[in-house]
Amino acid sequence: MKESKKIPGEKPARSMNFIEEIIKEDIRNGKNDGRVHTRFPPEPNGYLHIGHAKSICLNFGLGEKYRGKTNLRFDDTNPIKEEVEYVDSIMEDVKWLGFDWEDRLFYASDYFEQLYEYAVILIQKGKAYVCDMPADEISATRGTPNRPGKDSPYRDRSVEENLDLFIRMRSGEFPDGARVLRAKIDMTSPNMHMRDPVIYRILHASHHRTGDTWCIYPMYDFAHGQSDSIEGITHSICTLEFEVHRPLYDWLIREIGIYAPRQIEFARLNLNYTVMSKRKLLELVQEGKVTGWDDPRMPTISGLRRRGYTPESIRNFAEIIGVAKRDNVIDVSLLEFCIREDLNKRADRVMGVLNPVKVVIDNFPEDRVEEMEAMNNPEDPARSTRKVPFSRELYIEREDFMEDPPRKFFRMTPGREVRLRSAYIVKCESVEKDPKSGQITVIHCTYDPMTRSGMPDSNRKVKGTLHWVSARHAIESKVRLYDRLFSVPDPDNAEEGKTFKDYLNPDSLNVVKGYLEPSIREAQAGDTFQFERKGYFIVDKDSRSDALVFNRVVALRDSWAKTGHQK
RNA sequence: UGACCCAUGGUGUAAUGGUAGCACAAGAGAUUUUGGUUCUCUCGGUUUAGGUUCGAGUCCUAGUGGGUCAACCA
């Protein structure tokens, strides 16, 4: 049966992923009156990363696509790990990605009273009991995936006793760990999560929102599904590892007798050459392996933002990688493709030399300065042009000159003409070297005055075009060249005796001095540029108008370097 | 000695019993005042064995491989 009936708001561009299929089917069947309501439920115990971005784009994207709603809900049931700093950063990141939860900002802690009442319902139904065993005993009697667990000796307490004990747990009568509330399900279930899971624990800890109001806190399993239910979530989308929780999710909602959302699991994003666990990212931050959660090498959203990734590029990335149930490792080159594609259209071009060697145009008058007109973005002529000063002494990239070049080297070499971008065609006549090191100190050239850009002779065919900057007009600035944080594709998979940190790339950051054309002076933090022939760069927040700081977002594709001729 | 989930080019992801397609990566060429961009082309895939069917990537069974589950974390 092939029905090609379009659901309003649906884009025909891409085929549907399995979650969209499910939603489409639910809409067709009139489930939830055709309503679609999702949520993004982070725990505020760390910064969001690109994997969360996938989930955010999925959940909010579904909301947009099916004209539904998406809530932002903090899953804040563990006061020991959670902090306001994280709440703030998460909201900033979701907003920055371009999503809007409107008036639907929620916290699981908003529901603590309701959740408590749900627990009481369970107790009254004889479906939950207070267990006095210490944590290690509960663990020991839970069995293993292969072996069934054993009933707790407290399993058959009366409803009255359970109620009394639970009330006293709440009132603070017992110390941490003294008792827990457990769901009474089945200690022999093949699913460990159904073996009388703990649903409330005693924690005399101050909560970032509820303060000291509570000393018992619900566990994830007892908070998440019920919160979904309270908010009227129709499709509760989470990652694969929660698949085994789904029977418990459904059981609790059924036993409490409340609206039942549907949990759907998808495969989380993995990226090569990085790590994606909050714990490991936290470790890198705490041990100073990076400068912070927003270090431009981090896969965090704040890190990518500081690196120069745009929200559009990340959303497009999330779209391109798709959504499925099989484990996946995405190649970082796909992420890089997405940002290059985006920045190619929007970043203005500018010339900057990162590893300079001096060029003297011997037949160019010493005191003359010419203003060259350069296009800001050849992809978009509407972006107009700018002036770039040209003078007798220039810098070019040291690797753009070779005295004794390999074949197919199109750049400057003695006796051969090359074009200086937006300026003149020049020819290298001689070089000066440091007698000790043999390193080239000055390249002497002559220029052809008839080949200024725009003149007829400038149409002459020359092999190479080089970027340059007038030495005396150059603006010196700090340029941070970033590379991948890890030197191996799968740092999580450390060999015996090593940890992921043993695979940190020692060359992930290389700070150099850049000599940039003067038009860059106006650049503001957050502005992105293409340094022609080099890559995309963003003005960092550390930048000041008299001391510019750039981060390299990503280098340009370099098909010359790939041939292996280089160096 | 378990339960559950997953299996399509190098990496992702489509194909909803009827021509295995797309993107990235890789390679070749064209264009180019960025060795960028753009354009063209090439390479390369259904985990195995059975079964159902006129027809199977798709359905069934078994195997193999991978993943998840034994916090009072989420």
Side-chain angles (χ1 to χ4, degrees):
Chain A
M1 48 174 97
K2 276 191 178 166
E3 294 178 50
S4 54
K5 194 176 279 182
K6 283 265 159 54
I7 287 162
E10 189 176 79
K11 287 188 218 136
R14 162 180 64 74
S15 57
M16 282 187 276
N17 63 51
F18 78 101
I19 296 177
E20 292 166 334
E21 294 283 359
I22 290 170
I23 291 176
K24 183 178 87 176
E25 199 56 31
D26 285 346
I27 290 173
R28 175 174 299 154
N29 294 334
K31 193 174 173 185
N32 302 311
D33 305 315
R35 198 167 53 85
V36 173
H37 201 152
T38 56
R39 101 268 93 113
F40 174 63
E43 182 190 14
N45 69 340
Y47 279 64
L48 262 24
H49 53 59
I50 181 78
H52 294 108
K54 175 181 181 180
S55 175
I56 293 165
C57 293
L58 212 207
N59 278 294
F60 280 92
L62 256 13
E64 288 174 0
K65 178 167 180 174
Y66 295 101
R67 297 172 197 243
K69 294 183 165 86
T70 305
N71 300 354
L72 175 62
R73 180 175 74 234
F74 288 96
D75 225 328
D76 55 349
T77 57
N78 185 356
I80 294 164
K81 291 188 179 176
E82 294 150 9
E83 293 175 24
V84 189
E85 177 198 350
Y86 298 132
V87 171
D88 295 340
S89 75
I90 288 167
M91 290 196 288
E92 184 187 0
D93 288 348
V94 174
K95 269 189 238 164
W96 178 76
L97 279 173
F99 296 108
D100 186 3
W101 55 85
E102 297 172 329
D103 58 347
R104 295 178 309 279
L105 170 63
F106 301 120
Y107 296 80
S109 54
D110 292 342
Y111 312 131
F112 280 171
E113 189 63 44
Q114 177 71 74
L115 261 13
Y116 176 83
E117 280 160 31
Y118 288 157
V120 169
I121 291 173
L122 243 35
I123 293 171
Q124 285 168 335
K125 285 182 70 179
K127 297 286 187 179
Y129 62 97
V130 173
C131 180
D132 300 358
M133 289 199 293
D136 57 342
E137 272 181 52
I138 289 182
S139 174
T141 54
R142 188 167 4 243
T144 71
N146 297 328
R147 213 172 272 303
K150 289 187 176 58
D151 285 0
S152 161
Y154 305 96
R155 199 171 199 262
D156 293 315
R157 287 219 252 232
S158 68
V159 168
E160 292 67 31
E161 188 181 4
N162 281 322
L163 225 36
D164 172 62
L165 254 13
F166 189 51
I167 289 167
R168 289 161 63 193
M169 278 168 66
R170 176 180 184 169
S171 68
E173 199 171 313
F174 312 116
D176 288 2
R179 295 178 218 266
V180 294
L181 185 69
R182 293 227 252 169
K184 190 172 177 178
I185 308 178
D186 178 8
M187 290 304 292
T188 69
S189 169
N191 183 339
M192 298 288 290
H193 297 277
M194 299 298 272
R195 321 239 263 232
D196 291 10
V198 171
I199 56 179
Y200 261 95
R201 78 285 216 185
I202 300 171
L203 239 38
H204 291 270
S206 224
H207 187 277
H208 71 106
R209 297 194 81 237
T210 61
D212 296 318
T213 309
W214 295 87
C215 64
I216 57 172
Y217 292 93
M219 300 288 290
Y220 164 84
D221 286 303
F222 198 74
H224 199 96
Q226 288 90 310
S227 299
D228 285 341
S229 178
I230 290 166
E231 294 176 14
I233 299 304
T234 56
H235 303 270
S236 176
I237 296 159
C238 61
T239 46
L240 244 34
E241 66 269 27
F242 291 99
E243 199 149 28
V244 281
H245 292 245
R246 183 162 18 103
L248 178 56
Y249 182 108
D250 293 339
W251 185 94
L252 288 167
I253 279 172
R254 187 174 351 108
E255 293 298 338
I256 296 167
I258 51 179
Y259 163 75
R262 173 172 180 180
Q263 177 178 304
I264 303 167
E265 309 86 12
F266 73 98
R268 62 155 20 107
L269 165 71
N270 296 292
L271 252 194
N272 58 15
Y273 293 99
T274 192
V275 293
M276 207 74 92
S277 95
K278 279 196 216 170
R279 197 208 91 222
K280 287 177 178 169
L281 295 175
L282 178 63
E283 226 174 298
L284 293 175
V285 172
Q286 286 180 335
E287 294 176 16
K289 306 290 188 193
V290 294
T291 59
W293 285 101
D294 69 344
D295 186 297
R297 293 165 292 185
M298 292 281 272
T300 49
I301 294 176
S302 51
L304 291 165
R305 174 167 59 234
R306 196 170 171 190
R307 178 71 170 261
Y309 276 78
T310 59
E312 292 82 1
S313 69
I314 291 175
R315 290 175 70 154
N316 185 237
F317 173 73
E319 182 69 29
I320 285 175
I321 59 177
V323 178
K325 291 194 75 165
R326 93 178 89 153
D327 293 318
N328 61 84
V329 183
I330 307 290
D331 201 313
V332 285
S333 64
L334 187 56
L335 222 207
E336 293 175 346
F337 165 80
C338 289
I339 189 58
R340 285 196 189 104
E341 183 188 44
D342 193 34
L343 257 20
N344 178 48
K345 288 178 299 190
R346 66 210 309 166
D348 279 346
R349 273 57 170 169
V350 92
M351 289 194 287
V353 175
L354 303 182
N355 181 20
V357 62
K358 181 167 283 187
V359 170
V360 177
I361 313 290
D362 291 319
N363 59 341
F364 196 88
E366 194 125 7
D367 51 358
R368 191 200 298 177
V369 176
E370 290 187 24
E371 295 290 331
M372 301 300 178
E373 188 163 45
M375 271 205 281
N376 285 328
N377 188 333
E379 301 298 307
D380 181 10
R383 212 100 56 122
S384 180
T385 60
R386 67 185 186 285
K387 301 284 193 215
V388 186
F390 183 91
S391 66
R392 178 181 163 95
E393 295 198 356
L394 312 172
Y395 293 127
I396 65 165
E397 217 67 63
R398 192 166 276 281
E399 53 267 32
D400 282 342
F401 178 84
M402 275 185 113
E403 229 182 337
D404 184 20
R407 36 179 236 290
K408 288 211 170 173
F409 183 82
F410 301 154
R411 307 174 187 183
M412 190 182 285
T413 192
R416 186 203 285 162
E417 286 194 324
V418 289
R419 186 190 307 281
L420 294 179
R421 175 80 159 150
S422 307
Y424 292 100
I425 291 175
V426 298
K427 193 200 304 185
C428 168
E429 306 289 356
S430 65
V431 298
E432 289 177 39
K433 291 183 188 176
D434 180 290
K436 290 196 186 75
S437 65
Q439 200 189 42
I440 292 166
T441 51
V442 180
I443 299 169
H444 288 276
C445 292
T446 52
Y447 84 113
D448 179 342
M450 302 310 287
T451 58
R452 182 175 164 148
S453 283
M455 291 178 166
D457 279 12
S458 72
N459 293 331
R460 199 149 82 215
K461 285 288 172 201
V462 291
K463 278 290 193 51
T465 299
L466 271 39
H467 61 281
W468 53 273
V469 59
S470 167
R472 73 176 204 256
H473 298 93
I475 293 179
E476 286 188 30
S477 57
K478 182 191 272 193
V479 179
R480 302 197 279 224
L481 303 175
Y482 291 104
D483 198 356
R484 42 192 61 156
L485 225 204
F486 292 90
S487 49
V488 297
D490 183 15
D492 283 317
N493 191 3
E495 59 181 279
E496 240 348 89
K498 291 194 172 185
T499 77
F500 72 102
K501 287 175 289 188
D502 292 312
Y503 302 103
L504 281 162
N505 177 6
D507 299 318
S508 61
L509 171 57
N510 188 6
V511 182
V512 301
K513 198 184 282 183
Y515 299 82
L516 311 179
E517 63 168 73
S519 74
I520 202 75
R521 182 111 275 167
E522 321 294 323
Q524 301 294 310
D527 289 350
T528 50
F529 297 90
Q530 184 196 101
F531 291 3
E532 284 197 276
R533 305 209 305 133
K534 296 309 289 182
Y536 295 99
F537 293 79
I538 184 169
V539 182
D540 189 75
K541 65 179 184 186
D542 290 344
S543 198
R544 292 185 328 225
S545 62
D546 58 342
L548 296 172
V549 179
F550 290 86
N551 299 333
R552 182 171 67 192
V553 188
V554 66
L556 255 32
R557 271 187 65 209
D558 188 348
S559 51
W560 167 243
K562 276 196 301 193
T563 64
H565 281 108
Q566 187 131 302
K567 174 181 275 179

